[in-house]
Amino acid sequence: MRIYLDNAATSWPKPDAVYAAMDRYQRELGAAAGRGSYQSSVEAQRIVSETRASCARLLGVGDARQLIFTANGTSALNLAIHGLLRPGDHVVTTVCEHNSVLRPLSWQSEQSNVAVTHVGCNSAGLVDPAAIADAITPSTKLVAITHASNVTGAIQPVEEVAKIAHSANALILVDAAQTAGCVPIDAVALDIDLLACGGHKGLLGPLGTGLLYIRAGLEQQISAITQGGTGSDSLPTTQPAQLPEKFEAGNLNVPAIAGLGAAIQWIEQRTVENIHEHHHELACRLIERLDPLTNVKIVGPTTEQPRLGVVSCSIDGYDPQEFATAVDLIGGVECRAGLHCAPKMHAALGTDTSGGLVRFSPGWSTTIDDVDSAVAAIAAVAENVPT
């Protein structure tokens, strides 16, 4: 038996339409997009264009050209951070961030004289917008914040943070790795300047896909950090200025983009609202069933607070990695243990010195029975503390 509860890392299984779309491309097309006028290449370009339009629609973006395809969410965040920041800039971010934000900002701090301030959070992993406002200075160019913590599942008040940033003439970058496809997002209505995500988590696409939304006009302030062929306007030695070509050097991962397009269509049919409700129901059941276990301590928001389907906990007497291995061996429960690429988050929670936490993250295909079976395995292991 396999109970997959690591959807916060990558979603599995994918909808059948994703596999079918990728297989069709590989077997029937195989051509690069935007690199030829023959039929299969034109069809590949159509797939890319339609997927871009579907992603834009899902994220509330009116002009699909403002969505850039990247290799993953990390690549999207690196493009936003390294492409935007200049020496002397100041960035306000939070301790809740993933290393995909922390490390590029650390590089900017060490190599490019960019000042970085990390705002703290409470025990649930929530950031107080007032603390962000207090951290902003006249030189603040960017506020970088995760939409939701990959450790606690806490959903941050990004709309309020965007207002605070803009009132100080700063921009806002939102890491939507955990929320895209799981929580309704309207990037324009939320007044977000930059939004990055991978395609393989809540968007249910394959690995090797990512997106960066750039607010109209802002692309002029962002440097292309990679240069190369775009399949059009090949004569100049400089990268094209227009979108999306400015930031899409080299061949796109069309097989994966085909799968992502099929995934977005599947999500639209079921609606993000229904998917979020399903995840929330499963998370609440996990919390309610785990809470009575005396040596299990759940970390994160309550079931009444805005949260994702991410439930993390510590187990007295167990190293997180040992516990994760044990529940896999006895119950087929696949979960994630450790620091979750979010070391400052764990330091803020006080869990960094004990190896982190054990994280369970249900997905679209997870059932109530799966949750109950997982809880039974967790309880069995938790009750037998090694001596």
Side-chain angles (χ1 to χ4, degrees):
M1 179 176 64
R2 181 184 186 188
I3 303 174
Y4 186 77
L5 296 180
D6 197 19
N7 288 275
T10 192
S11 55
W12 184 89
K14 311 298 183 181
D16 287 342
V18 175
Y19 305 126
M22 296 179 70
D23 188 68
R24 174 183 176 268
Y25 170 82
Q26 294 284 49
R27 295 180 186 277
E28 299 179 16
L29 298 177
R35 299 301 194 272
S37 58
Y38 49 89
Q39 187 174 345
S40 56
S41 180
V42 171
E43 173 66 5
Q45 182 59 49
R46 182 194 65 78
I47 290 171
V48 170
S49 297
E50 289 189 355
T51 301
R52 197 187 306 274
S54 296
C55 292
R57 189 166 57 247
L58 190 76
L59 297 175
V61 176
D63 186 349
R65 292 174 298 178
Q66 303 302 134
L67 274 182
I68 309 303
F69 284 122
T70 63
N72 44 49
T74 298
S75 295
L77 288 163
N78 272 260
L79 171 56
I81 291 169
H82 294 311
L84 178 69
L85 296 178
R86 304 289 183 267
D89 287 340
H90 175 238
V91 180
V92 175
T93 189
T94 82
V95 298
C96 306
E97 308 308 310
H98 190 277
N99 274 336
S100 295
V101 169
L102 296 177
R103 287 176 173 172
L105 288 179
S106 177
W107 187 95
Q108 285 286 336
S109 175
E110 295 171 3
Q111 304 295 327
S112 194
N113 193 32
V114 170
V116 181
T117 300
H118 298 88
V119 172
C121 66
N122 65 16
S123 60
L126 281 166
V127 175
D128 183 355
I132 291 178
D134 290 342
I136 291 176
T137 72
S139 62
T140 302
K141 187 171 188 177
L142 181 68
V143 175
I145 186 170
T146 185
H147 195 183
S149 169
N150 71 321
V151 178
T152 69
I155 299 176
Q156 307 293 357
V158 295
E159 185 173 13
E160 188 174 354
V161 173
K163 291 178 181 177
I164 291 170
H166 292 154
S167 69
N169 296 315
L171 301 171
I172 180 170
L173 165 63
V174 174
D175 177 1
Q178 293 297 325
T179 53
C182 299
V183 176
I185 296 174
D186 188 323
V188 175
L190 292 171
D191 207 12
I192 293 170
D193 299 300
L194 297 155
L195 182 142
C197 66
H200 65 100
K201 298 179 190 277
L203 292 180
L204 304 181
L207 289 159
T209 53
L211 296 168
L212 177 64
Y213 159 67
I214 303 174
R215 178 177 53 77
L218 184 56
E219 68 272 9
Q220 298 169 10
Q221 299 182 41
I222 300 175
S223 301
I225 61 175
T226 57
Q227 294 81 36
T230 57
S232 62
D233 196 19
S234 296
L235 186 60
T237 58
T238 55
Q239 200 69 9
Q242 73 270 15
L243 295 183
E245 290 88 348
K246 180 178 180 179
F247 303 113
E248 290 184 353
N251 276 300
L252 293 172
N253 186 357
V254 186
I257 290 173
L260 177 61
I264 299 299
Q265 290 181 13
W266 187 94
I267 290 171
E268 287 182 317
Q269 291 171 1
R270 283 148 185 84
T271 77
V272 177
E273 290 80 4
N274 285 336
I275 291 171
H276 179 57
E277 183 179 347
H278 177 64
H279 289 180
H280 189 265
E281 178 186 6
L282 296 173
C284 289
R285 191 172 184 91
L286 258 173
I287 292 169
E288 290 165 359
R289 297 299 176 94
L290 291 176
D291 191 55
L293 302 179
T294 56
N295 58 337
V296 174
K297 180 184 177 182
I298 299 170
V299 177
T302 68
T303 56
E304 305 301 320
Q305 295 174 302
R307 60 155 30 255
L308 295 176
V310 172
V311 179
S312 295
C313 59
S314 61
I315 299 91
D316 290 342
Y318 279 96
D319 173 84
Q321 299 287 357
E322 292 175 344
F323 189 84
T325 299
V327 294
D328 183 23
L329 290 174
I330 76 158
V333 179
E334 298 179 338
C335 59
R336 174 79 183 276
L339 298 179
H340 309 97
C341 299
K344 288 186 180 295
M345 177 85 264
H346 281 277
L349 297 172
T351 55
D352 55 328
T353 57
S354 57
L357 296 167
V358 182
R359 183 186 71 190
F360 304 95
S361 50
W364 70 270
S365 67
T366 309
T367 66
I368 292 293
D369 287 343
D370 289 335
V371 169
D372 290 348
S373 296
V375 170
I378 293 166
V381 175
E383 291 169 0
N384 291 281
V385 179
T387 58

